[in-house]
Amino acid sequence: RPGRGAGRPRVCKAIMAAPPPSGPGEPAPPPPLQYSLLLQHLVGDKRQPRAWDPSVLGGIPCPPKSEEQKMVERVMESCPFKAALACVGGFVLGGAFGIFTAGIDTNVGFDPKDPYRTPTAKEVLKDMGQRGISYAKNFAIVGAMFSCTECVVESYRGKSDWKNSVISGCITGGAIGFRAGLKAGVIGCGGFAAFSAAVDYYLR
């Protein structure tokens, strides 16, 4: 009837026409393409992994390393070299930090026996140099201890992760703090470990 089914959605069905039958003596038509089988070869279980070869992609060929280069790499990756490098870096950083703190300290150069006397430039520079040397030595010792301990821990564990920094920081802080007692050693271990974990998390 007219008007019957008004407002109802119409459903359209797509019918795939079957290939016409082949006559006698004619080759059989190819089967219809099945997209499910095609997807299995593209993104499914039958997908073959592609081997990424830099030489095939036009990469720059790398010549074999000489014995001198291998020896230099072994020296640079050794624990003594890392400890020496950290010691030098800590000495420079500590000296700069000591001079900076002495420069902003208003009591540098003053004589406690005569506080009203104005210090000379020579006395101020002398105090700044002494403070810089003191800070440089402390930073160098801490840097060498931390770097050497981290290298030993990493070589023992065979892994390079944040745990190496935490363990080496705890050992370094505990060794420095134990000179003032057991409580100071425990606090130094925890504080240095937390600081090492924070720095490692920020850098990574």
Side-chain angles (χ1 to χ4, degrees):
R1 291 180 304 182
R4 184 177 181 181
R8 298 181 182 178
R10 296 182 179 180
V11 180
C12 298
K13 297 182 179 179
I15 302 176
M16 180 180 292
S22 59
E26 297 181 0
L33 180 62
Q34 298 183 8
Y35 290 99
S36 60
L37 297 179
L38 182 61
L39 291 176
Q40 288 183 4
H41 288 278
L42 293 178
V43 296
D45 299 335
K46 296 182 180 181
R47 178 176 178 270
Q48 297 293 333
R50 180 179 297 178
W52 295 99
D53 191 0
S55 60
V56 177
L57 298 177
I60 300 176
C62 183
K65 298 180 181 179
S66 61
E67 294 297 330
E68 291 78 7
Q69 292 177 342
K70 294 180 180 179
M71 183 180 65
V72 171
E73 289 183 355
R74 287 194 297 266
V75 171
M76 295 181 64
E77 293 176 357
S78 62
C79 294
F81 180 81
K82 292 181 179 180
L85 187 63
C87 181
V88 174
F91 187 87
V92 175
L93 181 62
F97 185 74
I99 294 175
F100 174 76
T101 55
I104 61 177
D105 190 0
T106 58
N107 295 324
V108 173
F110 282 92
D111 188 3
K113 298 180 180 179
D114 189 7
Y116 296 101
R117 187 179 64 86
T118 302
T120 61
K122 183 177 180 181
E123 293 174 346
V124 173
L125 293 176
K126 181 179 179 181
D127 287 354
M128 291 177 65
Q130 291 177 353
R131 182 176 296 189
I133 293 297
S134 177
Y135 274 68
K137 291 180 179 179
N138 293 332
F139 274 63
I141 294 174
V142 172
M145 290 178 59
F146 179 82
S147 180
C148 185
T149 307
E150 185 181 18
C151 182
V152 172
V153 172
E154 182 178 351
S155 301
Y156 177 77
R157 296 182 67 243
K159 297 179 181 179
S160 179
D161 52 10
W162 60 272
K163 294 182 180 179
N164 297 333
S165 300
V166 174
I167 296 174
S168 57
C170 180
I171 295 175
T172 304
I176 296 174
F178 273 134
R179 295 182 299 177
L182 179 61
K183 184 178 180 180
V186 174
I187 295 176
C189 174
F192 216 106
F195 177 75
S196 302
V199 172
D200 187 83
Y201 177 78
Y202 177 76
L203 294 178
R204 290 179 183 268

